[in-house]
């Protein structure tokens, strides 16, 4: 596997939410997002029991491998599921497992990311050995209201310019807000409902790619 900055930069990350797909099977939405050019799938299904989550993770990994597109899968907070599904890595919440402990269990080539909600948390995650961070909320969004006021593009830029590891932006991401981030030294943008709830998830991913100035994915 490539090193983390090569795998993750730049692009669009789809953070899954099975409750936001308008009744469509999540795998169907994931398949469409990958077809649109998603670079990273963060499987974030907190309410699924272990066995069901593992089956889902295996399905997502298979979709990415069969797509012919360079897409990686990370599993939110469940190291056991990530390893069993042969995902590329794990994503840790801000108050989740310690990075070094996960690294000892999973190995150096397993991606370990962390959600952060401030520059201080971002610097701490880098010091602990995280391969990348997801920074936010950058813009206002109900899904991230619990983390306080949006941090804003200026704070995102400071984090991206001061860290050595890839920085993804999350929170209120849609084509209009993504366009405000174009040209910043970020790994890309992470979106939940903008992709999960879109009538055409592939089209939603393409729109985010275009907003960031990336070339379209061949059909």
């Amino acid at each position: 596997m490539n090193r983390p900055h090569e795998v993750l930069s730049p692009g669009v990350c789809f953070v899954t939410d099975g409750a936001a797909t308008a009744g469509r099977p999540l795998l169907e939405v994931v398949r469409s997002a990958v077809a649109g050019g998603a670079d990273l799938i963060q499987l974030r299904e907190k309410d699924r029991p272990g066995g069901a989550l593992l089956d889902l993770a295996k399905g997502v990994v298979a979709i990415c491998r069969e797509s012919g597109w360079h897409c990686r899968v990370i599993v939110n907070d469940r190291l056991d599921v990530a390893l069993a599904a042969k995902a590329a890595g794990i994503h840790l919440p801000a108050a989740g497992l310690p990075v070094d402990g996960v690294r000892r269990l999973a190995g150096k080539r397993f991606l370990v990311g962390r959600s952060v909600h401030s520059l201080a948390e971002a610097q701490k995650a880098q010091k602990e050995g995280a391969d990348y961070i997801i920074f936010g909320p950058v813009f206002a969004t109900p899904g991230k209201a619990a983390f306080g006021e949006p941090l804003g593009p200026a704070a995102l830029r400071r984090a991206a310019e001061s860290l050595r590891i890839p920085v993804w932006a999350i929170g209120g991401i849609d084509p209009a807000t993504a366009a405000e981030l174009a040209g910043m030294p970020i790994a890309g943008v992470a979106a939940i409902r903008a992709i999960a709830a879109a009538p055409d998830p592939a089209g939603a991913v393409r729109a985010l790619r275009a907003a960031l100035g990336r070339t379209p994915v061949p059909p």
Side-chain angles (χ1 to χ4, degrees):
M1 180 188 293
N2 294 333
R3 293 306 304 155
H5 70 280
E6 295 171 321
V7 171
L8 300 175
S9 177
V12 174
C13 170
F14 174 32
V15 182
T16 71
D17 181 355
T21 63
R24 295 168 295 182
L26 183 57
L27 289 179
E28 175 185 315
V29 176
V30 168
R31 191 181 302 277
S32 180
V34 173
D39 301 271
L40 191 66
I41 306 295
Q42 181 189 339
L43 186 60
R44 185 178 180 270
E45 301 297 319
K46 295 181 177 181
D47 295 332
R48 303 234 183 185
L53 183 62
L54 176 57
D55 289 342
L56 181 61
K58 288 180 176 178
V60 174
V61 169
I63 286 171
C64 288
R65 287 179 176 170
E66 294 164 4
S67 70
W69 175 247
H70 188 73
C71 182
R72 293 289 186 266
V73 181
I74 55 175
V75 177
N76 195 75
D77 206 30
R78 288 291 301 266
L79 179 59
D80 55 343
V81 172
L83 290 171
K86 294 181 170 56
I90 183 174
H91 187 77
L92 304 174
L97 296 169
V99 172
D100 57 352
V102 171
R103 182 77 67 206
R104 284 195 298 271
L105 292 170
K108 293 182 179 180
R109 298 182 72 81
F110 196 74
L111 295 176
V112 181
R114 171 81 78 189
S115 288
V116 301
H117 311 299
S118 69
L119 179 57
E121 287 185 4
Q123 292 169 334
K124 180 181 178 184
Q126 176 176 267
K127 184 176 180 180
E128 291 175 347
D131 291 312
Y132 70 92
I133 60 166
I134 295 184
F135 183 93
V138 176
F139 301 100
T141 175
K144 298 293 182 182
F147 301 111
E149 293 297 313
L151 301 172
L156 172 67
R157 180 181 290 277
R158 284 194 296 272
E161 290 179 347
S162 64
L163 298 182
R164 300 183 304 276
I165 58 176
V167 176
W168 290 82
I170 196 170
I173 298 296
D174 60 28
T177 55
E180 294 185 40
L181 309 180
M184 285 193 187
I186 58 174
V189 296
I192 305 174
R193 294 189 63 86
I195 298 173
D200 176 13
V205 172
R206 291 189 186 102
L208 289 170
R209 288 172 57 88
L212 292 169
R214 293 195 65 192
T215 56
V217 177

